[in-house]
Amino acid sequence: MPTFDRVALSEIALDVAREAGEQVLRGWRSRPQVEQKGSYADLVTEFDLASERLIRKLLAERTPDLAIVGEEQGGTASDAPTWYCDPIDGTVNFAHGHAFFAISIGVLERGQPTAGAVFAPALDTYWRGAVGHGAVRNGKPCQVSATEHLDDALIATGFSPVMRRSGHPEDNLAAFVKVMPAVRDIRRCGSAALDLCLVADGTYDAYWERKLSPWDTAAGAALVLAAGGMLSSLRDGGPVNFAEGYLLASNGRIHHPLAALLTP
Ligand code: IPD
Ligand code: CA
Ligand code: CA
């Protein structure tokens, strides 16, 4: 198998995310028409579809040997590094004119995140990184926070559209009630990719969510690792299965006390 330079892949991811982001930004606050996919809370717009078409075209030109998996068109991973793309992460925000959405392009190698970039066009902010080679936010090196105690921690979470309204035991409401009094505060801003980037750059001290997809997490999880953070499965505390997406990401220092609250 040919070897791929992770830093070079992260730079390609950033170039492509920026180009797609410029295109997506043209539709922001236009109140685009939405279509429901799986549920009333799982949306797609013409801008998601056009963004993924552009991402696929640009990635195929730059890395013709790598497989591409995207949220809207699917695809199959290979044994080599595989691109995982979310053409708009935070589509509900985008559709409502909220600025917290991003284009997320990451690499999984044998199922584990190794490189990626995330671009939030309405925030004019990007993150890029490769595991073992550090992470940057808008060109400046970034790292996870040094927060030691849950009392001092700002945490993010999200609520999967798949488990809303169903009374599902893993719908995250019970976990939210448990964590809320233990930390300084919790944010729920609606883009898993950006939540992970904000752990990587030390804004958040940790983030958790259940039932994410690999295109939500591939880039952001690579950034957390590249920035010195820690990941674990919310199911059993072991390595994350990115196909299942039960994820706790943190600065490492508060990982175990938070995991003790979240992991059965
Ligand atoms: C969603 C966002 C949201 C998270 C959901 C994801 P989408 O992705 O990342 O923050 O809570 O689980 O599905 O649908 O906007 O690409
Ligand atoms: Ca997503
Ligand atoms: Ca999406």
Side-chain angles (χ1 to χ4, degrees):
M1 187 197 305
T3 55
F4 293 90
D5 176 338
R6 289 176 181 174
V7 174
L9 291 180
S10 74
E11 285 166 347
I12 292 169
L14 178 60
D15 289 347
V16 173
R18 290 192 79 119
E19 205 163 318
E22 305 296 329
Q23 177 179 282
V24 166
L25 192 58
R26 292 198 275 276
W28 185 50
R29 298 195 62 77
S30 66
R31 278 276 160 183
Q33 204 173 344
V34 297
E35 267 178 51
Q36 296 182 7
K37 293 198 289 182
S39 77
Y40 73 103
D42 190 6
L43 306 180
V44 64
T45 71
E46 63 177 292
F47 295 95
D48 298 74
L49 301 174
S51 174
E52 184 159 329
R53 282 196 297 273
L54 179 60
I55 291 168
R56 285 176 177 276
K57 174 180 161 291
L58 297 173
L59 288 178
E61 282 166 12
R62 302 277 295 267
T63 56
D65 297 334
L66 296 196
I68 303 172
V69 179
E71 176 171 12
E72 309 303 343
Q73 288 183 44
T76 309
S78 76
D79 290 340
T82 297
W83 291 115
Y84 281 82
C85 316
D86 197 330
I88 300 179
D89 186 57
T91 296
V92 171
N93 284 342
F94 173 77
H96 287 261
H98 190 301
F100 205 77
F101 63 92
I103 288 70
S104 175
I105 303 179
V107 175
L108 295 185
E109 289 181 45
R110 289 173 296 282
Q112 291 304 306
T114 54
V118 174
F119 177 48
L123 304 175
D124 194 20
T125 304
Y126 74 81
W127 296 256
R128 182 190 64 73
V131 178
H133 300 273
V136 295
R137 172 182 163 137
N138 281 355
K140 291 193 188 135
C142 65
Q143 56 198 18
V144 295
S145 73
T147 303
E148 299 271 0
H149 304 290
L150 290 182
D151 270 355
D152 303 321
L154 183 63
I155 310 285
T157 190
F159 296 81
S160 166
V162 179
M163 293 191 277
R164 306 254 188 91
R165 288 186 174 172
S166 61
H168 194 288
E170 291 178 334
D171 64 7
N172 206 28
L173 293 172
F176 188 89
V177 168
K178 217 167 165 187
V179 174
M180 189 72 222
V183 300
R184 178 166 286 157
D185 214 336
I186 301 181
R187 297 286 176 265
R188 188 274 192 266
C189 290
S191 162
L194 287 176
D195 290 331
L196 286 162
C197 288
L198 293 174
V199 174
D201 72 16
T203 307
Y204 295 148
D205 303 296
Y207 158 69
W208 89 89
E209 188 164 341
R210 294 177 169 79
K211 214 137 182 63
L212 293 160
S213 298
W215 42 80
D216 302 315
T217 52
L223 279 152
V224 168
L225 294 176
M230 188 182 277
L231 304 174
S232 69
S233 163
L234 286 171
R235 281 235 153 105
D236 57 10
V240 179
N241 176 340
F242 284 86
E244 291 185 338
Y246 284 62
L247 174 70
L248 171 61
S250 83
N251 67 357
R253 294 169 172 88
I254 60 162
H255 203 93
H256 296 296
L258 191 55
L261 291 174
L262 289 168
T263 307

